[in-house]
Amino acid sequence: MTIAARPALAPSPDLLEEEHGPTGMLKWLTSTDHKVIGKSYTITSLVFFCMAGLMAMVMRTQLTSPDNTLVSQHLYNELFTMHGSLMLYLFAGPFAFGGLANFIVPLQVGAPDMAFPRLNALSYWLYLGGGMIMVSGFLTVGGAADFGWVAYAPLSSATNTPGAGPDMWIVALLLTGFSAIFTGVNIVATVFYLRAPGLTMFRLPIFTWNMLVTAILILIAFPVLASAMIMLWCDRHLGTHIFTVSGGGSPVLWQNLFWFFGHPEVYILALPFFGIVTDVLATFSRKPVFGYKGMVFATISIAALSTSVWAHHMYTTGTELLPFFSLMTYMIAVPTGVKFFNWIGTMWRGSLTFETPMLYAVGFLVVFLFGGVTGILLASPPIDFAVHDTYFVVAHFHEVLFGSAVFGGFAGLYFWYPKFTGRMTREGLGKASFWVMFVGFWVTFVPQYILGLHGMPRRIAEYGAATGWQSLNQVSTAGAYLLFASVAITLINFWVSWRRPVPAGDNPWDAHTLEWATSSPPPHHNFYWIPPIRSERPVWDYNHPEHATPNGHAVPSPVPAAVGSLAAPGSSDGGAGGSGHVGGGTAQ
Amino acid sequence: MKVEGTVLLVIGVFMGAVCAIYWFLSNETSGTMMLLGATLLGFVPGAYYLWWSRRMKPRPEDNPSASRADGAGVVAAFPSTSVWPFVLGVGAALVGLALVFGLWTAPIGFVLGFAALLGVIRESRRGGAV
């Protein structure tokens, strides 16, 4: 146990001691530092992302020509199941709330660590164990789970999908589900109890707000998933008939349980990236977030609405209340529209520069907008009846999820990479990776929309030559290879920055929020010194007293704010650190 | 603490309203029960936070004009390193694998979990004098 104290005004010498702990492998195994755990989470989730991406490449190659026999139908089933499971359960969520949030949220609230450091470490080990168990399904005799990432009953029964692989999938989701719940509890407690003085709830950075709301959504959704998994396991092994008609059960109950988790899960995967994009847009526009409170209320509205739209995945079962779910789904477009309005307002008349994180953030806006618009189409039951389970839906959710988790996620990765490692990435490689990804993305998914409208069903390994689907599939596959290349360029970028480091300094982007007030990477227990907090962007206020943000009111930064007493550093608050520039630009 | 409690309470009120409307329109049990759970998840902690916010001392993080000196000092005691989360994680994975490959991994998992429990308690006592 070490006692973490919060610095008062000047850097205090007794806080400058470094951690005397184990190093190397032992550090990785025993550390409870949120920064080490956050990095572990980030790297592990990126490994799963690459594995799932390679599976996608195999599937796209299989679909290049009609009646292709590159992989068997059984293996194809395993591939799309594991592609979806890895991407959704092991990459997008853990990357956001395990990796980025774990590292950034305590820094953004000025805390020494997460509220429950050992629980945080346990979350990571449960996640890693669950992930390894899920992937090692491929090593079993019957292969990995092959019932789709949604595991619909009765396809997921012991008769239809026997073997150890599906059971390992169930166990993996139990373990990673609990890992997510523990992380959710940790984030809520950290935001509620460990904020720095003056950092009221309505001064939190939008990323932290979104992570808080995401954590609450996790606490609503993941227990349902865990209980559904236990029921499914009982059906498979203990002879219960919860989801089988023959014993008086209901397969639609599985869909209700799964989607009550599954739809909030979509927003658990999207809201963190909304937060990243908000912070990135504000930083590279050199302006406060436009409509800060509107942004917060929109986030809460999206989260609340997202738990009451689950059955829009089940229109075609014919058992659901179509008007209710259709109306609720349409209503989600309103707070999302508020967010888009505010994102554009944040950039409006700002001093924009387009570094790699900003490019990815703007790319997110375009991609997610199109995904959202096709989502509004799908919210209408008559249209959904026509295109349900076609490639139209595949293209829609890839635009939404790829848009948020990859474009938004890479924006965050490039944005905070200097804070993670203390090194800069190369702008040229970063921009190249963005443009290759942006072009590859449209080339991949626009043909899939058209294929869906032509009636190509999802989850098929082969199609006949007479269908006429070949050329569009070839275009889509070419786009997928471009996506593969863009991720490779990003990995090369990280490799280059690792081998030939360019020191980042504390605040290379001239950013706004508290994580940029400490060194890169931050020391043990994070802060030697904290600037006074008088608005939602304390570091900016300290570095640019002439453009300080008046308390509670956002103005464009080129207009000098008439504040004087409130925001100017040192006036009301003792003037810690004199007139020094927090962070500085480059190497120090 | 008021804002924190209010956020949860607002979610609870919204989920409660949706729960009532959904039950009235559909008579469907599983969805209603899950919505009821979500309602309680908003109400129970939200009401607790609001109740507690009136009894606790005002906190510098809730005060928009708090100075840094107000929040200086000891925040809490944090464990610096601990091997027990790893041990507990391995134990949990072994217990989980017992659901797939038969019960023989479960006892090993439970022993590891129990060891981790004892280890965490000892660790907290040793360093937890703050």
Side-chain angles (χ1 to χ4, degrees):
Chain A
M1 289 270 171
T2 46
I3 300 156
R6 185 168 274 135
L9 298 175
S12 71
D14 55 328
L15 287 171
L16 294 177
E17 51 164 321
E18 267 307 312
E19 180 193 9
H20 301 293
T23 53
M25 190 77 178
L26 201 58
K27 178 180 175 187
W28 181 61
L29 286 178
T30 61
S31 180
T32 53
D33 184 344
H34 73 101
K35 298 183 286 296
V36 177
I37 298 168
K39 277 187 203 167
S40 306
Y41 253 117
T42 308
I43 294 168
T44 313
S45 61
L46 285 175
V47 169
F48 286 128
F49 170 67
C50 292
M51 290 166 78
L54 289 174
M55 291 176 200
M57 293 305 121
V58 176
M59 286 189 284
R60 277 316 319 166
T61 311
Q62 161 75 12
L63 291 173
T64 315
S65 49
D67 304 316
N68 201 348
T69 51
L70 176 71
V71 294
S72 68
Q73 303 219 352
H74 181 65
L75 182 58
Y76 189 87
N77 289 351
E78 291 174 38
L79 285 174
F80 73 66
T81 300
M82 295 308 274
H83 167 77
S85 302
L86 260 63
M87 283 293 188
L88 288 153
Y89 301 121
L90 301 183
F91 163 62
F95 176 69
F97 55 72
L100 296 178
N102 219 331
F103 196 100
I104 297 299
V105 164
L107 291 170
Q108 285 196 333
V109 303
D113 204 325
M114 288 288 249
F116 307 113
R118 284 179 297 204
L119 188 70
N120 198 14
L122 175 64
S123 293
Y124 175 70
W125 296 116
L126 289 177
Y127 161 66
L128 183 65
M132 283 163 62
I133 289 174
M134 187 187 285
V135 173
S136 49
F138 278 113
L139 306 176
T140 59
V141 179
D146 57 352
F147 38 45
W149 79 280
V150 295
Y152 273 4
L155 182 60
S156 52
S157 72
T159 319
N160 293 321
T161 42
D167 286 324
M168 292 168 85
W169 184 88
I170 292 171
V171 169
L173 286 200
L174 276 175
L175 292 172
T176 52
F178 277 105
S179 142
I181 292 169
F182 295 155
T183 304
V185 169
N186 230 331
I187 289 172
V188 173
T190 306
V191 175
F192 279 8
Y193 285 102
L194 289 179
R195 300 197 305 277
L199 190 63
T200 58
M201 287 296 276
F202 284 107
R203 282 177 184 165
L204 287 175
I206 293 288
F207 176 70
T208 295
W209 253 114
N210 282 24
M211 284 320 307
L212 172 66
V213 175
T214 306
I216 295 170
L217 264 186
I218 289 174
L219 297 181
I220 292 176
F222 272 81
V224 177
L225 176 75
S227 53
M229 287 302 148
I230 291 168
M231 288 184 224
L232 182 61
W233 188 82
C234 290
D235 260 17
R236 289 174 64 91
H237 294 283
L238 300 185
T240 59
H241 291 282
I242 301 168
F243 305 122
T244 49
V245 178
S246 58
S250 161
V252 176
L253 174 63
W254 168 265
Q255 296 194 23
N256 265 308
L257 291 174
F258 182 84
W259 287 114
F260 191 85
F261 150 79
H263 200 78
E265 165 78 352
V266 174
Y267 284 90
I268 289 166
L269 305 183
L271 287 178
F273 302 106
F274 290 2
I276 292 170
V277 166
T278 312
D279 280 1
V280 169
L281 290 179
T283 298
F284 292 100
S285 307
R286 275 115 201 138
K287 276 177 64 188
V289 175
F290 177 81
Y292 175 91
K293 283 193 175 169
M295 218 57 160
V296 172
F297 293 134
T299 304
I300 297 172
S301 317
I302 290 175
L305 284 168
S306 79
T307 47
S308 46
V309 298
W310 73 92
H312 69 206
H313 299 268
M314 303 158 55
Y315 283 167
T316 52
T317 59
T319 60
E320 297 306 322
L321 195 61
L322 295 180
F324 176 83
F325 287 109
S326 184
L327 181 71
M328 295 305 257
T329 308
Y330 280 128
M331 274 164 61
I332 287 201
V334 177
T336 315
V338 169
K339 278 188 173 283
F340 264 90
F341 185 79
N342 287 354
W343 283 325
I344 294 167
T346 302
M347 289 192 284
W348 193 260
R349 301 184 69 184
S351 318
L352 299 174
T353 52
F354 289 92
E355 282 89 348
T356 311
M358 181 66 166
L359 279 180
Y360 271 106
V362 175
F364 157 86
L365 292 187
V366 179
V367 169
F368 193 85
L369 180 66
F370 278 77
V373 167
T374 51
I376 294 172
L377 291 180
L378 289 170
S380 161
I383 297 176
D384 185 79
F385 290 151
V387 295
H388 186 81
D389 264 347
T390 68
Y391 261 80
F392 190 87
V393 174
V394 174
H396 156 69
F397 69 70
H398 277 91
E399 278 212 318
V400 174
L401 288 169
F402 197 104
S404 49
V406 184
F407 279 96
F410 275 36
L413 203 55
Y414 273 103
F415 185 54
W416 284 309
Y417 185 88
K419 189 52 65 182
F420 273 45
T421 60
R423 299 145 191 262
M424 296 302 285
T425 53
R426 299 294 193 275
E427 275 298 305
L429 283 169
K431 284 177 177 162
S433 82
F434 168 75
W435 285 111
V436 174
M437 181 179 284
F438 193 70
V439 172
F441 181 82
W442 294 106
V443 176
T444 310
F445 293 109
V446 169
Q448 294 189 6
Y449 278 121
I450 304 167
L451 282 169
L453 293 176
H454 288 178
M456 181 172 170
R458 62 194 282 201
R459 295 175 177 146
I460 53 163
E462 294 164 17
Y463 53 89
T467 54
W469 294 335
Q470 185 185 6
S471 50
L472 283 170
N473 268 306
Q474 284 175 332
V475 175
S476 181
T477 303
Y481 291 158
L482 281 180
L483 293 178
F484 177 81
S486 77
V487 174
I489 295 171
T490 291
L491 294 179
I492 291 169
N493 199 354
F494 293 159
W495 173 255
V496 170
S497 91
W498 186 253
R499 298 302 294 176
R500 299 179 181 202
V502 176
D506 297 354
N507 189 3
W509 312 117
D510 197 10
H512 303 166
T513 43
L514 271 185
E515 76 268 31
W516 304 102
T518 185
S519 62
S520 306
H524 188 55
H525 286 161
N526 295 347
F527 291 97
Y528 297 139
W529 175 87
I530 292 181
I533 299 163
R534 287 292 172 271
S535 77
E536 74 266 16
R537 43 180 206 165
V539 174
W540 172 275
D541 293 343
Y542 190 83
N543 287 338
H544 303 274
E546 72 282 9
H547 296 152
T549 323
N551 191 11
H553 299 282
V555 293
S557 51
V559 182
V563 277
S565 66
L566 268 182
S571 52
S572 66
D573 202 335
S579 57
H581 189 278
V582 181
T586 51
Q588 299 190 332
Chain B
M1 225 17 147
K2 280 201 180 66
V3 180
E4 290 91 327
T6 312
V7 167
L8 287 166
L9 218 53
V10 164
I11 292 176
V13 169
F14 177 85
M15 296 316 300
V18 170
C19 180
I21 295 169
Y22 182 72
W23 170 247
F24 181 73
L25 289 177
S26 74
N27 264 329
E28 194 264 316
T29 329
S30 66
T32 310
M33 287 314 292
M34 291 186 284
L35 288 171
L36 188 67
T39 309
L40 291 177
L41 189 127
F43 264 113
V44 175
Y48 173 76
Y49 280 131
L50 278 189
W51 176 82
W52 183 241
S53 70
R54 294 181 196 179
R55 281 156 186 79
M56 69 195 297
K57 274 194 296 186
R59 302 186 305 170
E61 55 261 48
D62 293 330
N63 175 7
S65 50
S67 76
R68 285 167 293 170
D70 294 342
V74 170
V75 178
F78 291 92
S80 44
T81 57
S82 171
V83 76
W84 300 114
F86 173 70
V87 176
L88 186 53
V90 174
L94 286 174
V95 173
L97 281 178
L99 296 177
V100 185
F101 295 115
L103 285 177
W104 62 274
T105 54
I108 312 171
F110 278 119
V111 168
L112 288 178
F114 192 65
L117 187 69
L118 291 181
V120 167
I121 292 171
R122 274 172 52 86
E123 217 169 51
S124 303
R125 284 208 181 147
R126 199 172 57 234
V130 184

